[in-house]
Amino acid sequence: MTAQLNPRGDVAVLVPAAGSGTRLGPGAPKALRLLGGEPLLVHALRRVCQAPSVAAVVVAAPPDEVAFVRAMLAPVAPVTVVAGGAHRQASVAAALAAVPAEIPIVLVHDAARALAPPHLVESVAAAVRAGAEAVIPVLPVVDTIKEVGPDEAVRGTVDRTPLRAVQTPQGFRRQVLAAAHAAAVDPLTDDAGLVEKQGVRVTCVPGSDHALKITRPFDLLLAEHLLATE
């Protein structure tokens, strides 16, 4: 059944899905790798579209796969598919340009975080709606962190108390994200990093263990287990 978006919602979700995902090994672009028999992108969009604030979703697909991705997603959700760029930042900018003008809140979400729950989308959107200019979901860092030199010798132990692991979706007031991309010089892999460079305050909200990033084969195995327990 095709998901229904909320025409009165105030949130657009951008999904840059043009990356190759080389750390997952050879094969299709990362967003099109299979999890439980379906592409990561399908899992991600299915959950995003369950969030009641979402009025629009724009996917930036590999340029030579736009028609394929559009056809693949048609039964899943009413999404817009555009050609992505050579790097993530260019893909986000291309997707942002396709967002309807009346939508004030924009979230950027990675297809690799395919199991991020709908309530995480709502939590990030709610924080922007409440007045934050930029919002990221985070988890505490639980591992001991060492600073290591070029010779692989330990230089010291980093205090992990103030450290956080960042997830997606990341949320922004639309004009804040647009201005950050317009001013960008060097490509970054994190949209919050772009707005930080513009002096914008970035606010944190609690993340989700289910929003793990599927980057390595082991991550895919873990996601398979989480999917089976849903």
Side-chain angles (χ1 to χ4, degrees), residues 57 59-60 86 179 226:
V57 178
V59 174
L226 291 174

Side-chain angles (χ1 to χ4, degrees), residues 57-82:
V57 178
V58 183
V59 174
D64 57 350
E65 301 278 5
V66 170
F68 171 77
V69 171
R70 187 175 289 127
M72 179 186 74
L73 296 179
V76 180
V79 305
T80 299
V81 182
V82 301

Side-chain angles (χ1 to χ4, degrees), residues 107-110 113 116-117 119-125 127-128 134-140 164-172 190 192 202-209 211:
L107 274 57
V108 183
H109 188 41
D110 292 336
R113 298 187 188 273
H119 71 77
L120 188 60
V121 175
E122 287 299 301
S123 176
V124 172
V128 178
V135 178
I136 55 175
V138 301
L139 292 176
R164 298 293 183 271
V166 181
Q167 300 179 322
T168 70
Q170 298 181 356
F172 309 89
D190 175 64
V202 179
T203 302
C204 298
V205 297
S208 168
D209 289 330

Side-chain angles (χ1 to χ4, degrees), residues 87-163:
H87 46 74
R88 186 181 187 281
Q89 186 177 314
S91 292
V92 172
L96 181 60
V99 174
E102 68 274 12
I103 297 180
I105 299 173
V106 176
L107 274 57
V108 183
H109 188 41
D110 292 336
R113 298 187 188 273
L115 301 184
H119 71 77
L120 188 60
V121 175
E122 287 299 301
S123 176
V124 172
V128 178
R129 196 177 296 118
E133 292 186 298
V135 178
I136 55 175
V138 301
L139 292 176
V141 174
V142 296
D143 292 320
T144 297
I145 304 297
K146 300 286 187 181
E147 181 183 356
V148 179
D151 59 354
E152 295 302 315
V154 172
R155 291 180 172 177
T157 301
V158 179
D159 179 12
R160 69 187 179 200
T161 304
L163 301 181

